[in-house]
Amino acid sequence: MNTTTAMKKLAIVAIVLSCIAIVGQIFIFATQKENADDLYQKAMKADYKIYAPVVPDTLRFAGEKVPLEYFYVREGLDRELLSNMYFHSSTLLNMKRAGRYFPIIEPILREQGVPQDFKYLCVIESGLQNVTSPAKAQGYWQFMKSTGQHYGLTITDEIDMRNDIEAATLAACKFLKTLRNSLGSWTAAAAAYNCGEEGLRSRMNKQSVNSYYDTRLNSETTRYVYRILAIKLIFQHPQDYGFYLRRCDLYSPIPYDTVSLSGQNVDLYTFAQEKGTTYKMLRELNPWLQTDKLVNKTNKTYTVKIPKKGGTLQRNIQKDRNTALINRL
């Protein structure tokens, strides 16, 4: 065998070995990729779980029995539990805000003889915020202008007491008691808060029924009471639905003092400075103020909130971190 032939054979062997090596690398890479995907899939199965919420066997709203034996009642509640249980950011924010506003709402409901379950109606109406609906309902309790004025709320270009948590809650109590006395149940009162007293009554009369649960209604009102019930269950049993908040995670009530605001053509920038606060803080604590100047033609005196003297809006975070998980709101 001459040198040339030998070199050719060696070259062929080298090429074959290189091909084998390349194929081997491809096989190893493919195997590794497959193994990595398998491991990833196993990890996801182990760590990522979505559970169906447990619907209770018995439930009451404002002391009234919820007929969970009806399939559409049980499934309606199940739908709203799923919606709120897995809309994490919204439900968490609502729970945090409840730490600030429930201590204001609860005693007013108690004093007015309205069941505590109605604080959850406020949650589903506004998320405990001063918001405006497409229909121009306004504030924490989402009053239309005419209804708010009927129940004693001042609503002008300068002042909108629908945005005052105390005044609006008191008006909501009056409204709910009127609805309950007219329609015969707190459940019907809650539904009528959404669709109107005459709207609910006409549908009940047309269908010859006297219960919200027996009445065929539009989609929004059909879901309305179940949404309240779902929020009630999640807020009262948060860990049962996957929510783990510490007491320190809730927004705290804001300490404040009150001062009088009176006179005509009052510049609120100057007023805030004179009271030792900022215009922004004045508006934050008094969202019912609508403009930066109070014309006040009737020369009425208003009570406004300013940050409490000597108080602090800061919190002892290290101390708060040691607080227990909330188990009821």
Side-chain angles (χ1 to χ4, degrees):
M1 180 183 301
N2 58 40
T3 303
T4 302
T5 302
M7 290 179 66
K8 287 181 178 179
K9 287 183 177 181
L10 287 172
I12 292 171
V13 170
I15 292 171
V16 171
L17 290 174
S18 297
C19 290
I20 292 172
I22 292 170
V23 171
Q25 288 294 325
I26 293 173
F27 176 76
I28 291 170
F29 177 78
T31 303
Q32 288 175 338
K33 184 175 186 301
E34 182 179 355
N35 288 340
D37 285 346
D38 288 344
L39 290 172
Y40 183 82
Q41 186 70 26
K42 288 177 182 178
M44 187 175 73
K45 286 182 179 179
D47 298 333
Y48 184 69
K49 296 179 175 65
I50 298 176
Y51 294 93
V54 175
V55 179
D57 292 328
T58 60
L59 184 61
R60 303 185 81 82
F61 172 71
E64 299 169 359
K65 180 179 180 293
V66 180
L68 291 167
E69 64 273 15
Y70 295 170
F71 74 90
Y72 55 82
V73 173
R74 192 173 189 83
E75 291 172 12
L77 176 57
D78 188 45
R79 174 181 180 176
E80 301 310 317
L81 280 171
L82 279 166
S83 295
N84 288 279
M85 181 177 170
Y86 288 107
F87 195 178
H88 301 128
S89 59
S90 176
T91 302
L92 278 169
L93 280 170
N94 287 338
M95 295 173 83
K96 284 173 172 281
R97 294 184 191 116
R100 175 168 296 161
Y101 293 110
F102 277 8
I104 300 171
I105 294 171
E106 288 169 347
I108 298 174
L109 294 178
R110 192 176 301 113
E111 290 164 6
Q112 293 297 311
V114 175
Q116 290 294 315
D117 282 352
F118 280 95
K119 63 190 177 188
Y120 305 114
L121 181 149
C122 189
V123 175
I124 72 162
E125 278 289 340
S126 67
L128 299 172
Q129 300 176 91
N130 274 318
V131 292
T132 305
S133 76
K136 304 302 181 183
Q138 177 67 35
Y140 299 97
W141 290 88
Q142 289 291 278
F143 275 106
M144 297 296 291
K145 183 177 181 179
S146 58
T147 306
Q149 290 175 325
H150 180 77
Y151 287 97
L153 296 177
T154 300
I155 304 172
T156 68
D157 291 339
E158 296 180 291
I159 303 296
D160 193 337
M161 297 307 290
R162 292 177 293 180
N163 294 339
D164 180 79
I165 185 66
E166 290 92 349
T169 301
L170 181 59
C173 287
K174 295 177 182 177
F175 186 24
L176 288 165
K177 287 191 289 187
T178 298
L179 292 172
R180 196 262 183 187
N181 292 337
S182 176
L183 296 167
S185 75
W186 287 116
T187 305
Y193 198 94
N194 175 256
C195 69
E197 178 183 350
E198 290 308 314
L200 182 62
R201 189 193 307 281
S202 65
R203 287 170 176 81
M204 284 181 168
N205 290 340
K206 188 173 183 179
Q207 298 172 41
S208 302
V209 295
N210 58 11
S211 166
Y212 160 80
Y213 298 106
D214 292 329
T215 310
R216 184 172 178 82
L217 298 161
N218 64 70
S219 176
E220 182 180 346
T221 309
T222 294
R223 297 181 62 179
Y224 193 76
V225 173
Y226 302 135
R227 289 177 64 201
I228 300 173
L229 291 170
I231 289 295
K232 173 183 175 176
L233 285 169
I234 293 171
F235 276 41
Q236 290 191 347
H237 309 283
Q239 286 88 16
D240 290 353
Y241 298 97
F243 292 93
Y244 289 81
L245 287 83
R246 300 162 299 173
R247 183 62 56 182
C248 66
D249 293 322
L250 304 181
Y251 299 153
S252 296
I254 301 170
Y256 64 86
D257 290 318
T258 59
V259 296
S260 295
L261 171 61
S262 61
Q264 296 182 346
N265 299 318
V266 180
D267 182 280
L268 294 181
Y269 298 111
T270 302
F271 177 83
Q273 291 176 353
E274 291 173 346
K275 299 304 178 182
T277 188
T278 63
Y279 174 71
K280 179 177 177 62
M281 185 61 73
L282 180 70
R283 292 292 299 271
E284 288 286 336
L285 294 183
N286 304 277
W288 49 272
L289 292 168
Q290 298 297 290
T291 63
D292 58 9
K293 188 175 183 178
L294 189 67
V295 176
N296 198 14
K297 293 180 179 179
T298 60
N299 206 24
K300 184 175 180 180
T301 298
Y302 296 95
T303 299
V304 300
K305 301 172 184 175
I306 59 172
K308 191 173 186 64
K309 293 180 180 178
T312 176
L313 301 183
Q314 299 297 320
R315 307 170 61 178
N316 188 331
I317 301 300
Q318 190 59 47
K319 180 180 177 182
D320 282 349
R321 282 176 179 154
N322 297 323
T323 59
L325 293 172
I326 62 167
N327 54 32
R328 190 177 187 89
L329 277 171

